[in-house]
Amino acid sequence: MSAIDSVELLDPARPFVLGIGGTHRPGSSTERALRVALDAAERAGATTLLLGAEELRLPLYDPTSPERTPAARRLIAAVAAADGLVLGSPAYHGGVSGLVKNALDYLEDLRDDTRPYLDGRAVGCVVTAGGAQAAPVLAALRSIVHALRGWPTPLGVAMDTSGPVFGPDGSVTDPKTAGQLMTVGRQVVDFAGLSLGVSV
């Protein structure tokens, strides 16, 4: 496994793919879907890190205040170091969840970075919902990535979680959905490798 706990442990020879998302409930469907995509990214040669429910419990983003919690500083540092990302959100009332949107608002702190916001990075998008409303939220999440100068991967995943989706081990029971999540993870790594000029 190449997953890490801290950006200080990154291997410069491997692309770094960061997963961001979930809900306030640890182990949510969104978080488990992100893990499937990140596992595929690892198998494709990347180092990965998931910032899920526990790590995204951040104060409401305030651009007028320079104070940042340790968790907020970790998020900003991880995004700055990332070669590619996978974002996951539940569909809440027709939109991206407040938890995920607030985390993305913190990327404003990277506006003057060498690579501002998500500039030049592939971003896979995954949305979960108990029905068909995942699709419009996926479009909204991809629009947010565009606004942050990122490149959404060709494939995004809108998951209907109204029925059984995951097995006891966290694996996706539907082969088509599992294949889509794994494809997103691989596409992020493929683009990151091209951007870095490395073979993965």
Side-chain angles (χ1 to χ4, degrees):
M1 293 287 285
S2 61
I4 63 164
D5 294 319
S6 170
V7 295
E8 287 77 17
L9 302 177
L10 286 174
D11 179 352
R14 302 168 70 96
F16 171 43
V17 176
L18 174 66
I20 297 174
T23 72
H24 282 286
R25 180 173 57 85
S28 66
S29 296
T30 306
E31 198 168 302
R32 284 184 282 176
L34 280 172
R35 290 189 186 280
V36 174
L38 291 177
D39 284 346
E42 285 187 36
R43 288 193 295 273
T47 300
T48 66
L49 173 66
L50 174 60
L51 299 181
E54 296 297 331
E55 294 81 11
L56 299 182
R57 297 178 191 274
L58 306 171
L60 190 64
Y61 178 70
D62 181 359
T64 67
S65 172
E67 295 185 12
R68 297 289 178 260
T69 65
R73 290 195 296 271
R74 184 188 189 205
L75 167 67
I76 295 162
V79 173
D83 302 302
L85 298 92
V86 183
L87 304 180
S89 175
Y92 281 174
H93 306 134
V96 174
S97 75
L99 182 79
V100 173
K101 181 59 169 64
N102 188 53
L104 295 175
D105 285 345
Y106 273 89
L107 302 195
E108 183 62 22
D109 285 6
L110 294 174
R111 64 187 175 278
D112 297 321
D113 197 64
T114 305
R115 295 187 299 174
Y117 307 113
L118 300 176
D119 187 63
R121 283 164 278 194
V123 183
C125 297
V126 177
V127 174
T128 61
Q133 64 267 37
V137 179
L138 176 62
L141 187 58
R142 290 168 69 90
S143 293
I144 292 171
V145 171
H146 275 296
L148 291 169
R149 306 185 193 178
W151 293 15
T153 55
L155 180 64
V157 181
M159 289 182 62
D160 181 352
T161 58
S162 58
V165 178
F166 296 95
D169 62 350
S171 63
V172 181
T173 55
D174 174 48
K176 180 180 178 181
T177 303
Q180 290 176 337
L181 291 169
M182 290 187 287
T183 297
V184 166
R186 288 193 298 266
Q187 286 181 345
V188 172
V189 176
D190 288 346
F191 181 89
L194 290 172
S195 180
L196 293 170
V198 299
S199 177
V200 291

